[in-house]
Amino acid sequence: MYYKLSIYNLTMNSEQLKNLPNWKLAYGIPICIFLSCFLITLSSRFKSNPELLSNAILADLLITAPLVYFFAIRKTNVSKITILRFLVAGVLIAGWIL
């Protein structure tokens, strides 16, 4: 069967558009989690007693941010392996700020 490719075949139908994630939500909330954890570590209360919130910040960076990203992309065609981006970013940020 011969299939002719044209510019009109590259357009998306409504079902394909439903499978795209809301990128502002998918990237925005985890980045806000990263920024809020960073700002918490800059506070004077954290600097006076860092062991109190270190575990909570570590959990936010390593579990919460990738989990939020997963929930944003779970019903889409985006590969689930992209969660590793936020996991690696969380590890790097945790090593840098803690």
Side-chain angles (χ1 to χ4, degrees):
M1 185 174 195
Y2 182 74
Y3 185 73
K4 184 178 178 184
L5 182 66
S6 68
I7 191 69
Y8 300 108
N9 293 339
L10 297 176
T11 60
M12 294 183 168
N13 61 23
S14 62
E15 191 168 313
Q16 289 173 328
L17 287 175
K18 290 179 185 177
N19 290 334
L20 291 177
N22 184 353
W23 290 111
K24 291 178 185 177
L25 181 71
Y27 284 121
I29 293 177
I31 289 173
C32 286
I33 291 171
F34 292 152
L35 286 175
S36 63
C37 289
F38 176 71
L39 293 175
I40 288 171
T41 60
L42 294 179
S43 69
S44 61
R45 289 187 183 204
F46 180 80
K47 288 182 180 180
S48 66
N49 202 2
E51 65 275 351
L52 191 64
L53 285 176
S54 292
N55 291 336
I57 290 173
L58 190 63
D60 280 344
L61 293 174
L62 297 181
I63 297 170
T64 307
L67 196 63
V68 167
Y69 177 73
F70 170 72
F71 286 136
I73 66 162
R74 70 180 170 181
K75 293 183 179 179
T76 63
N77 291 336
V78 178
S79 174
K80 306 306 182 249
I81 198 77
T82 59
I83 298 168
L84 289 176
R85 293 179 190 171
F86 286 100
L87 184 64
V88 169
V91 169
L92 293 175
I93 292 171
W96 180 54
I97 66 175
L98 297 177

